[in-house]
Amino acid sequence: MSTASQTDQWYASWFDTPYYHILYRDRDYLEAGAFMRRLTDSLHLSKSSHIMDLACGRGRHSMYLNRLGYRVTGVDLSPSSIAYAKAQLRDNTASTSDVENDQSLLPLDSSRINFEVHNMTVPYDGQFDAVFNLFTSFGYFDDVADNVNTIKAIYSNLKPGGYGVIDFMNAPFVIKNLVAYNEKIEDGITFKQWRRYEDGHIYKDIKFTDQERDYHFTERVSALELADFTSYFKIAGLELIEVYGDYHLNSYDAATSERLIMIVRK
């Protein structure tokens, strides 16, 4: 599949392929789970809280939050990812091998978790105690106005006093430490990856061959910084109350932090 054959919204095609999940299969879910535990504790969310996992992918983090005791609604633009999450939930086949040693986790409660296909740039039909947008699931939009539209949608989807969390890359740190090229082998497929910073965006070109067919996808993420998000929050009417720089909830430093984790309140 060439770049030209992708849809206008590149993320709608790339995220909906099995190759996306193969390439990123080794993400540290144990670290992510620990982050969510720290996050929900720091926000003092009661177990009756209803959390929206915005851009949830295949729902693994939604399921972790559910096993922490929360009611969860996971939404994502990718129909195949939502179908996968629903199938795991229906068949009770969610893989949690990396957290099974955590005796504090509850069994998955399918009555308190659901998944829906949804475009994050428009409000969802419902309000939540918290909306989590995790692991740089923002800034992909072709229309920059959708950055503000998404923040406005988060505002609409929060109950009064509810918390929004946006976990984004720390663009200055990422740009400074950008790896221009590397290769990664997963499932016998060699993914060749080129990265560059250009015109306010971070690009990653991904090329690989599978079953004698060549593929090429290009990821593009806006190199948004804290000042950009602060302006979005002001427009939407959200109050920025805390900024963290990593998954251990240490203070944010623009030069050295790996993450930009922003907590807002309605």
Side-chain angles (χ1 to χ4, degrees), residues 35 102 139 147 149 152 241 260:
F35 167 49
D102 188 342
N147 291 329
N149 290 337
K152 287 181 175 179
I241 60 173
L260 172 61

Side-chain angles (χ1 to χ4, degrees), residues 30 67 94-103 105:
L30 191 60
R67 294 191 65 190
S95 174
T96 54
S97 59
D98 52 2
V99 295
E100 282 302 333
N101 290 331
D102 188 342
Q103 299 301 314
L105 288 176

Side-chain angles (χ1 to χ4, degrees), residues 128-145:
F128 302 84
D129 299 288
V131 175
F132 290 177
N133 179 242
L134 304 170
F135 312 111
T136 311
S137 301
F138 194 97
Y140 296 125
F141 315 117
D142 295 315
D143 185 349
V144 293

Side-chain angles (χ1 to χ4, degrees), residues 61-184:
H61 307 109
S62 297
M63 294 180 194
Y64 189 94
L65 286 165
N66 178 258
R67 294 191 65 190
L68 286 175
Y70 298 102
R71 182 182 172 200
V72 184
T73 295
V75 301
D76 198 273
L77 186 67
S78 166
S80 69
S81 290
I82 291 298
Y84 186 95
K86 285 183 173 181
Q88 284 200 310
L89 195 60
R90 182 181 62 248
D91 302 334
N92 196 25
T93 57
S95 174
T96 54
S97 59
D98 52 2
V99 295
E100 282 302 333
N101 290 331
D102 188 342
Q103 299 301 314
S104 67
L105 288 176
L106 302 169
L108 197 63
D109 183 352
S110 61
S111 71
R112 287 171 54 79
I113 183 171
N114 67 291
F115 295 102
E116 300 293 340
V117 175
H118 176 70
N119 185 331
M120 66 192 289
T121 65
V122 297
Y124 183 79
D125 185 17
Q127 287 191 315
F128 302 84
D129 299 288
V131 175
F132 290 177
N133 179 242
L134 304 170
F135 312 111
T136 311
S137 301
F138 194 97
Y140 296 125
F141 315 117
D142 295 315
D143 185 349
V144 293
D146 281 334
N147 291 329
V148 174
N149 290 337
T150 298
I151 301 300
K152 287 181 175 179
I154 290 173
Y155 177 91
S156 297
N157 288 135
L158 283 173
K159 296 176 182 178
Y163 294 100
V165 178
I166 296 181
D167 163 31
F168 197 67
M169 65 179 175
N170 180 25
F173 178 86
V174 171
I175 293 167
K176 181 180 178 181
N177 295 279
L178 206 62
V179 176
Y181 176 80
N182 73 327
E183 295 183 4
K184 182 180 179 185

